[in-house]
Amino acid sequence: MATSSLAVSSLNVPMNSIFIGGQWVTPEGRDLIPVDNPATSEVIASIVDADCSDVHAAFTAARTALPAWSDLTADQRADHLDALADALHKYGDDLATLASREIGMPISESRAVQAGLPEAVLRSTADVARHFAWNYVDASGSQIIREPVGVVLGITPWNFPVHQIVAKLAPALVAGCTIVIKPAELTPLNALFLARLCAEVGIPAGVVNVVTGRGSTTGEMLVQSDGYDLVTFTGSLTVGRHIGAVAGQRVVRATLELGGKSPAVVLDDDGLVDAVRTTVRNCFTNAGQKCNAPTRLIVPEEARARATEIAVAAANEYVIGDPLDEATTMGPLASAAQRDKVLGYVEGAKSRGATVAGGTPVDGLFVRPAIITDVEEHDPVVQDEIFGPVLVILGHHGEDDAVRLANDTPYGLSAEVWSSDASQAQRVVRRIKAGQVRVNGVRSPRLPIAPFGGYKASGLGRELGPFALEEFLEIKAVLGRTDEPEEKR
Ligand code: NAP
Ligand code: MG
């Protein structure tokens, strides 16, 4: 089953190994977990299900590396991030291909979000650090010093695996923290490749450590350890609640990026075609396995039938197939569990009388995207995060009703608002409870620094830009005179 190393470009990533203290460690006697390509079911490699001695070794390495790393100036740490960004640029195609093989994401999407976006996050975070107020005197004459929280535990999911790791690693490192990362069991290889790049660019040993394994075994041991000072988690609400509870008991900080059931609110039918087609595209990125996917399209009731026709036509344009084929626009779902969950929700909605287009199985883990309408507001397909290519269309009766529907789920990660009236758009933006609101189909800016994270059950804390850096910093107030504060750490 296992190969000894995975050749990615000219760099070899040792298999059945974890990355601790700058070394590839191949522990004896651990279970091996196969990593497969969801498009073909082919086993690509295997990984170690790390145990508590590995967990202990990883935290010890991170703790040992902490003083020297946090003693560097912020500018020096930012330079390391830029070097890692250069490596991502150089090996971006290889990383994108590897991520596509692990997760089934179409290669064109992978290039943008598994390579291009993490590179931009590293560079923008480095830049934020260079201009950050690390040390200043406030209006009362007290000196305010920002210091790293310490050793960070990062636990990440499989859907945008490289981005989700880098969104934690970049601010943690530039803050002066060291990190132990546990990637998702479905997509660990890109994390090991990233570790390889960290070594390649000379990030000091122990600053970045990668431990692989199952969430229920390795993940749980990591979380229960007293080796970390902050845990940063992206994943499901269920696991996030558990990690938050453990962190609360220990009084360590937890940042949680959890799920979503994001609305796209169309307030009038000017530009309906653009609004619906853009929503379909944003909903079905990565076969809908995207936490901020706009999965509830809320249109004026009188436009619902036309919106449904437009959405069904857009969904029918998807080219489903091999993720490595440039023409493919939708790959497989990440696992059989994910496929079964999606098909179960679609069948459930049908049985309750919904009108459904698509949502049918193709081969293996491939599923045709589904457009669902004629459902009750509290139907599970309207309320639950499905994490697949399923768009639900609801009708509203004016602005108040649209806002009510938009806010009527436990989540609040993101939202989209479409209106031809700018003052109405601003009013509705203010009324929606979500961490990010996009107006009239604006695309992501090139500089990924707008804070990302959720209201309500979508989480605690923010990623990207200066708000992300804040999450990894302690605040020290010095009352009384010492030397003049340095400009920067
Ligand atoms: P998940 O089951 O919560 O897993 C996330 C990570 O936690 C994985 O590394 C997993 O390991 C690990 N884990 C599982 N149980 C654990 C435990 N008891 N202790 C410690 N770690 C544990 O979520 P998922 O199914 O991978 O990802 C999908 C979810 O993530 C969706 O709900 C989605 O909305 C959310 N998400 C949120 C964001 C955001 O930024 N808000 C972004 C992406 C995804 P294994 O992989 O080995 O199980
Ligand atoms: Mg897989």
Side-chain angles (χ1 to χ4, degrees):
M1 167 177 84
T3 51
S4 60
S5 74
L6 182 77
V8 186
S9 181
S10 53
L11 297 177
N12 281 333
V13 179
M15 286 301 97
N16 307 326
S17 302
I18 49 186
F19 187 71
I20 296 181
Q23 304 291 321
W24 292 99
V25 182
T26 312
E28 294 291 318
R30 311 288 186 269
D31 278 356
L32 295 182
I33 306 170
V35 180
D36 54 296
N37 177 338
T40 60
S41 301
E42 163 214 12
V43 174
I44 313 172
S46 60
I47 53 157
V48 168
D49 193 24
D51 75 5
C52 49
S53 63
D54 307 320
V55 163
H56 180 74
F59 282 130
T60 302
R63 185 70 58 191
T64 306
L66 183 63
W69 180 251
S70 58
D71 253 12
L72 296 180
T73 65
D75 282 4
Q76 286 170 322
R77 293 193 297 263
D79 290 345
H80 278 288
L81 252 54
D82 275 339
L84 187 57
D86 291 343
L88 248 78
H89 189 79
K90 181 170 174 193
Y91 295 104
D93 272 357
D94 304 310
L95 189 54
T97 304
L98 179 61
S100 275
R101 289 175 68 204
E102 282 187 284
I103 181 68
M105 177 180 279
I107 185 68
S108 56
E109 282 177 21
S110 256
R111 282 195 201 103
V113 300
Q114 310 286 7
L117 177 60
E119 181 192 337
V121 169
L122 285 162
R123 291 195 202 286
S124 61
T125 309
D127 217 42
V128 164
R130 291 191 180 100
H131 299 99
F132 193 75
W134 294 95
N135 194 337
Y136 60 92
V137 175
D138 75 6
S140 74
S142 301
Q143 182 188 354
I144 306 300
I145 303 176
R146 313 308 302 278
E147 293 178 343
V149 171
V151 172
V152 170
L153 168 59
I155 298 187
T156 54
W158 43 262
N159 57 327
F160 287 76
V162 186
H163 168 67
Q164 283 148 342
I165 291 171
V166 168
K168 299 181 182 316
L169 177 147
L173 260 50
V174 92
C177 297
T178 57
I179 191 165
V180 174
I181 296 161
K182 197 218 70 83
E185 182 190 326
L186 291 177
T187 56
L189 304 179
N190 61 82
L192 295 169
F193 186 64
L194 213 52
R196 181 76 181 78
L197 295 183
C198 289
E200 185 79 4
V201 302
I203 292 179
V207 170
V208 175
N209 307 274
V210 177
V211 172
T212 57
R214 296 192 170 89
S216 56
T217 54
T218 311
E220 191 62 38
M221 287 174 220
L222 285 160
V223 168
Q224 297 294 346
S225 161
D226 59 5
Y228 61 93
D229 304 300
L230 178 154
V231 54
T232 171
F233 170 78
T234 300
S236 62
L237 178 55
T238 310
V239 177
R241 277 200 172 113
H242 167 61
I243 290 177
V246 175
Q249 278 299 321
R250 292 196 37 220
V251 198
V252 300
R253 208 182 289 176
T255 65
L256 306 173
E257 295 292 342
L258 309 176
K261 188 72 181 177
S262 299
V265 180
V266 181
L267 291 155
D268 52 52
D269 61 5
D270 289 2
L272 187 70
V273 174
D274 188 24
V276 174
R277 290 186 65 85
T278 303
T279 301
V280 168
R281 191 178 63 234
N282 289 341
C283 183
F284 293 161
T285 307
N286 197 25
Q289 300 166 123
K290 182 169 100 161
C291 51
N292 61 344
T295 48
R296 294 180 298 138
L297 175 61
I298 302 170
V299 298
E301 176 58 26
E302 58 278 12
R304 185 162 63 92
R306 201 156 73 82
T308 305
E309 270 171 36
I310 299 164
V312 170
N316 285 338
E317 290 168 20
Y318 275 84
V319 179
I320 299 176
D322 177 4
L324 295 179
D325 186 331
E326 297 286 344
T328 295
T329 52
M330 190 177 288
L333 293 173
S335 65
Q338 207 58 31
R339 175 202 56 196
D340 296 346
K341 182 178 171 195
V342 168
L343 295 175
Y345 270 103
V346 170
E347 286 312 310
K350 273 187 198 162
S351 73
R352 292 183 293 273
T355 304
V356 180
T360 47
V362 190
D363 286 333
L365 303 183
F366 294 88
V367 173
R368 287 220 68 82
I371 306 292
I372 302 184
T373 195
D374 298 321
V375 272
E376 293 294 328
E377 288 168 30
H378 293 103
D379 192 282
V381 291
V382 181
Q383 291 293 319
D384 298 355
E385 181 180 56
I386 300 173
F387 229 54
V390 180
L391 175 68
V392 177
I393 304 182
L394 301 169
H396 70 73
H397 301 281
E399 186 180 309
D400 287 351
D401 194 41
V403 169
R404 181 189 64 78
L405 286 169
N407 287 332
D408 187 22
T409 78
Y411 296 107
L413 187 57
S414 76
E416 306 193 0
V417 171
W418 295 78
S419 174
S420 53
D421 171 349
S423 65
Q424 181 186 44
Q426 178 60 223
R427 203 163 57 231
V428 171
V429 161
R430 294 289 192 138
R431 296 177 71 189
I432 289 182
K433 304 261 179 281
Q436 220 175 56
V437 188
R438 289 162 185 258
V439 178
N440 289 338
V442 72
R443 304 299 298 265
S444 297
R446 277 178 56 82
L447 203 56
I449 58 169
F452 183 86
Y455 281 37
K456 303 194 308 190
S458 288
L460 297 172
R462 291 292 182 271
E463 295 198 316
L464 306 178
F467 291 96
L469 183 49
E470 297 275 0
E471 303 284 352
F472 296 91
L473 292 171
E474 282 289 7
I475 303 165
K476 182 175 284 170
V478 184
L479 283 64
R481 284 205 72 80
T482 61
D483 280 349
E484 282 302 306
E486 303 155 38
E487 263 298 288
K488 273 185 197 173
R489 274 188 56 83

